[in-house]
Amino acid sequence: MSELRINLTKGISLFKYNKKAFIGFIIILFYVLMAIFGRYIVPLSLESNFSERYLAPSLKHPFGTDYFGIDIFAQIVNGARTVIGLSMTSSFFAVLIGTILGILRGYLTGKIGQLVDAIISIFLVIPSFPALLIMAAIFADSNLNMVQISLIVALWLWAPLAKQVSAQVMSIKSKEFIEASKMLNMPLYYIVFKDIFPLVAPYILVNFAMQLKGAMEFTIGLMFLGLAKFDSTHWGIMLNYALYQAGALYTPRAFHYPFFIILNIILLIYGGIIFAQGLEETFNPKLRGHE
Amino acid sequence: MKFILNRLIYLLFVLFIAISGIFFLINKMPGDPAYGLAVSISQQRNMDINKALEIAHQMMGIDTGEPLFIRYVKFLNQFIRGNIGYSTYYQTTVNEIVAKSLPWTLLVVFISILISFIIGVYLGAFSAQKRGRAVDISISFVSSIIQAIPPFVLAVLILFVGAIKLRIIPLGGAYPVDMEPSLSMDFIISVIKHAIGPIVAISIPQIAVWTLAMRGNTPQIMEEDYIRFAMIRGVKDSTIARKYIRNNAILPLVASLAIAFGYMLGGNTLVESIFNYPGIGFYFGKAIALRDYGLLTGLFSLIVVGVIIATFLAEIIYSLIDPRVKVK
């Protein structure tokens, strides 16, 4: 338990000496706040106003307007909700599946361990994005909600994490204090949750941040292809509109439309990447002197 | 030899699982996979939907009276003979679609990987050499930003800037419709012009990946005993940097190269769709949009086969580079 506490205090003081993690955290926090409060501050009106079609960015419309004369900034702010929601839930599920199967694989020996290992290897080899597209296509007409879509996305994200976690667990389980717990006849859940879990916990946190990149790419890709639709302001769907709606491809002055969507996608993913890098630099056992 | 055989059997097993998985996933779905084809037949020939459904089943080789398991065995049998399915939308075999689309995908993937690998390795090695200096910091910074750009998002940007604003690249296709494929200079130039969008969209994020991988690999190698020994022997610094460090840092990347190649076969669905570039990914995207499950199954199987061959090659390369792998 003390290990976990050390990790937590490290986590809090981490921002003091890791700039990357700090900046990444601020970027993610910014979008999370946008997702939670954005729609109250910047209300979205989806009423078409053709006299304001494809207006360039101005004070009134910071990101300009789209084909229907709707403010793009308001759409981005309101879309953050589903973008953040989907990618966070997908990452969460991916980390959950990956951690459970990874610990199982690392700790168990014998037939069950081999079975889990086989499952992990199969998911590692099958190309995830095409597989995800097929599943999404099959379920596309059945109006999935956010949790269901996240589960489908997570199904194709968890495998690399499970493999890494199992490697970590395998190196931990031969340590003396585990042997001691075993000799004291501690139950399995105690060994897994009190002895092993605190040691892999920072690792899992780093991976949650890393999964965000994959989760965002996957969900935005799905939305872009129109395979999951429940919010027209999701950035993936906006990007689709920017490209294909009403001859946008032949309208050079509409460039600001895709540009601002792309800018926000990249900034959010970048935030996730440097947050993960910063965390890793802080928690990496090699740099920290774990033994 | 035993190691190679073991891996081969294992990967064939994974292939079997993947193909079976997709077969059952599609066939256990609610609805009839032949329904889409039946609708288009009944509209074209103005006939009853039930009769069209019957024709559709015949065309796709589905006997609805047959139990699922028999159909599965038939599917596997056809697959082993190299017949990977029938496209209901294009009304032709998937093999034929693969034959006309695979060359374009291979062209784009091959050039992209070559360009990005060479540039990435050089940038990474250079960056590692200047570790901590301004050049290194800016290379890492730019690489990690580029890493954050999904290829298809970059594709949208390139399409807008290149094809719509500046009008220097075409809006789609692999070559102009009014041109006959030939070995003439004009044709080759227009093929390159059409391929440039997808190539740039795929290469730029890849360059960042290789740069960071190479930069990350290098310090580990600098710690090796043979580097220290070479220094003690008085080998010139530049020789150590080039021959000892760079060459050894590239080795592990070569195996990743094979894997990257495999995954790119299917990973470019969005990029090829955005550029309307008629490769495997483009038809995969079409199959998804049209719910053409025959084409979908066939192309997915092909992609899995590609990935498995690539993984197998990578494992052989790994075992050649690092004999310790075999023991495990």
Side-chain angles (χ1 to χ4, degrees):
Chain A
M1 217 43 209
S2 63
E3 186 67 35
L4 186 61
R5 201 168 302 138
I6 292 170
N7 283 335
L8 282 177
T9 36
K10 285 242 176 206
I12 294 161
S13 62
L14 140 105
F15 296 137
K16 279 186 200 152
Y17 58 94
N18 197 307
K19 241 191 289 172
K20 267 189 190 170
F22 182 67
I23 297 171
F25 180 75
I26 293 292
I27 294 175
I28 294 175
L29 187 70
F30 171 72
Y31 281 106
V32 169
L33 291 176
M34 184 193 271
I36 299 172
F37 302 110
R39 60 184 180 151
Y40 304 115
I41 299 165
V42 189
L44 176 69
S45 134
L46 285 174
E47 233 165 274
S48 350
N49 183 358
F50 287 110
S51 62
E52 297 198 339
R53 171 178 298 173
Y54 289 142
L55 286 186
S58 64
L59 272 179
K60 195 181 163 207
H61 303 291
F63 292 168
T65 60
D66 70 0
Y67 177 79
F68 295 105
I70 302 168
D71 186 48
I72 293 171
F73 178 68
Q75 291 186 54
I76 294 270
V77 169
N78 283 266
R81 196 177 175 79
T82 36
V83 173
I84 292 282
L86 262 181
S87 43
M88 291 261 177
T89 0
S90 307
S91 306
F92 173 75
F93 284 133
V95 167
L96 194 70
I97 305 171
T99 308
I100 291 174
L101 288 184
I103 291 183
L104 278 181
R105 167 69 197 106
Y107 194 75
L108 294 176
T109 45
K111 286 274 183 286
I112 304 174
Q114 277 175 0
L115 181 72
V116 178
D117 188 43
I119 295 173
I120 295 175
S121 323
I122 287 171
F123 273 90
L124 272 177
V125 172
I126 293 176
S128 44
F129 193 62
L132 171 69
L133 289 185
I134 291 179
M135 288 197 76
I138 287 172
F139 295 113
D141 305 317
S142 49
N143 281 323
L144 299 182
N145 62 30
M146 192 146 100
V147 174
Q148 288 165 321
I149 296 176
S150 307
L151 274 173
I152 294 180
V153 174
L155 190 62
W156 299 103
L157 279 175
W158 63 270
L161 172 65
K163 195 180 166 154
Q164 289 162 354
V165 169
S166 81
Q168 289 272 312
V169 172
M170 272 192 239
S171 78
I172 293 169
K173 82 172 173 188
S174 53
K175 296 268 158 64
E176 290 90 346
F177 64 92
I178 304 275
E179 291 295 322
S181 293
K182 274 187 192 163
M183 261 187 267
L184 289 170
N185 256 336
M186 289 300 196
L188 182 65
Y189 80 84
Y190 180 90
I191 297 178
V192 169
F193 286 105
K194 305 266 158 136
D195 285 345
I196 296 180
F197 186 74
L199 281 176
V200 280
Y203 205 75
I204 293 165
L205 183 65
V206 171
N207 268 285
F208 176 73
M210 280 186 177
Q211 298 282 354
L212 278 176
K213 174 182 187 248
M216 266 180 281
E217 264 184 40
F218 278 15
T219 50
I220 291 171
L222 274 190
M223 294 286 174
F224 180 75
L225 279 178
L227 284 173
K229 32 198 152 185
F230 52 80
D231 180 4
S232 65
T233 55
H234 186 282
W235 302 348
I237 294 178
M238 286 179 71
L239 199 61
N240 179 308
Y241 288 166
L243 198 54
Y244 300 118
Q245 184 187 54
L249 268 177
Y250 307 97
T251 317
R253 72 190 163 105
F255 179 66
H256 63 272
Y257 191 7
F259 177 78
F260 282 110
I261 304 166
I262 289 171
L263 192 72
N264 281 283
I265 292 175
I266 294 173
L267 187 61
L268 179 54
I269 296 180
Y270 181 66
I273 290 179
I274 54 170
F275 183 56
Q277 281 177 353
L279 284 182
E280 199 179 18
E281 278 168 19
T282 318
F283 284 130
N284 192 336
K286 269 186 196 157
L287 301 175
R288 193 158 60 117
H290 209 292
E291 303 305 312
Chain B
M1 220 27 227
K2 194 168 172 252
F3 164 78
I4 291 176
L5 204 66
N6 269 341
R7 295 308 298 169
L8 190 63
I9 291 168
Y10 171 73
L11 286 171
L12 284 177
F13 173 70
V14 172
L15 175 68
F16 171 73
I17 297 274
I19 291 172
S20 308
I22 170 103
F23 178 85
F24 285 109
L25 196 64
I26 283 175
N27 282 282
K28 281 301 275 182
M29 282 186 327
D32 190 335
Y35 193 74
L37 180 63
V39 169
S40 79
I41 291 175
S42 78
Q43 279 168 356
Q44 270 170 24
R45 303 189 199 166
N46 214 353
M47 61 166 66
D48 184 44
I49 183 77
N50 285 326
K51 199 151 179 242
L53 207 55
E54 215 169 279
I55 297 174
H57 283 143
Q58 270 172 7
M59 284 174 79
M60 289 173 74
I62 300 176
D63 184 349
T64 36
E66 263 176 342
L68 188 62
F69 184 72
I70 303 284
R71 272 194 279 163
Y72 171 62
V73 172
K74 271 191 180 166
F75 165 76
L76 279 188
N77 184 21
Q78 289 291 320
F79 187 85
I80 292 166
R81 287 154 189 250
N83 180 4
I84 57 175
Y86 186 84
S87 159
T88 50
Y89 178 78
Y90 293 99
Q91 311 213 347
T92 169
T93 60
V94 178
N95 290 21
E96 218 163 288
I97 294 176
V98 169
K100 69 175 179 190
S101 61
L102 188 61
W104 299 120
T105 296
L106 288 181
L107 176 81
V108 166
V109 167
F110 192 75
I111 297 179
S112 309
I113 288 194
L114 201 69
I115 293 176
S116 56
F117 186 74
I118 292 173
I119 299 179
V121 161
Y122 267 87
L123 274 183
F126 179 72
S127 189
Q129 237 174 9
K130 311 264 174 198
R131 186 165 280 268
R133 290 200 223 160
V135 204
D136 170 47
I137 293 169
S138 38
I139 288 178
S140 307
F141 178 67
V142 173
S143 302
S144 65
I145 288 189
I146 289 174
Q147 237 193 342
I149 310 177
F152 69 94
V153 169
L154 189 60
V156 173
L157 198 64
I158 292 170
L159 190 69
F160 250 94
V161 175
I164 301 166
K165 280 226 122 164
L166 305 176
R167 297 188 180 279
I168 44 172
I169 59 167
L171 269 171
Y175 54 86
V177 219
D178 52 358
M179 218 175 210
E180 278 293 309
S182 64
L183 275 176
S184 69
M185 211 54 212
D186 280 356
F187 183 73
I188 292 172
I189 288 173
S190 83
V191 164
I192 293 172
K193 251 185 153 174
H194 281 77
I196 229 159
I199 288 175
V200 174
I202 297 166
S203 301
I204 290 183
Q206 280 290 309
I207 291 175
V209 171
W210 294 121
T211 304
L212 292 175
M214 184 70 184
R215 184 180 176 273
N217 258 353
T218 309
Q220 224 173 325
I221 285 160
M222 282 165 144
E223 301 281 302
E224 296 280 348
D225 286 340
Y226 57 79
I227 301 290
R228 207 164 302 148
F229 188 63
M231 283 173 170
I232 295 166
R233 276 192 321 188
V235 180
K236 263 192 289 179
D237 274 359
S238 60
T239 314
I240 293 180
R242 244 181 313 116
K243 287 201 168 158
Y244 287 63
I245 298 176
R246 184 181 301 170
N247 287 359
N248 281 302
I250 288 175
L251 277 181
L253 297 186
V254 173
S256 319
L257 198 62
I259 292 184
F261 196 82
Y263 278 94
M264 278 207 180
L265 277 183
N268 296 327
T269 307
L270 287 166
V271 172
E272 285 182 2
S273 300
I274 288 165
F275 284 108
N276 272 316
Y277 195 77
I280 296 283
F282 172 79
Y283 282 102
F284 193 80
K286 277 267 184 263
I288 296 263
L290 300 161
R291 309 285 191 275
D292 182 342
Y293 292 112
L295 184 57
L296 207 52
T297 314
L299 290 182
F300 184 72
S301 313
L302 178 84
I303 293 166
V304 174
V305 169
V307 169
I308 283 187
I309 293 173
T311 311
F312 183 58
L313 285 180
E315 279 173 354
I316 294 178
I317 297 172
Y318 266 128
S319 71
L320 289 178
I321 297 170
D322 188 348
R324 279 172 300 183
V325 176
K326 274 189 217 168
V327 184
K328 240 170 84 184

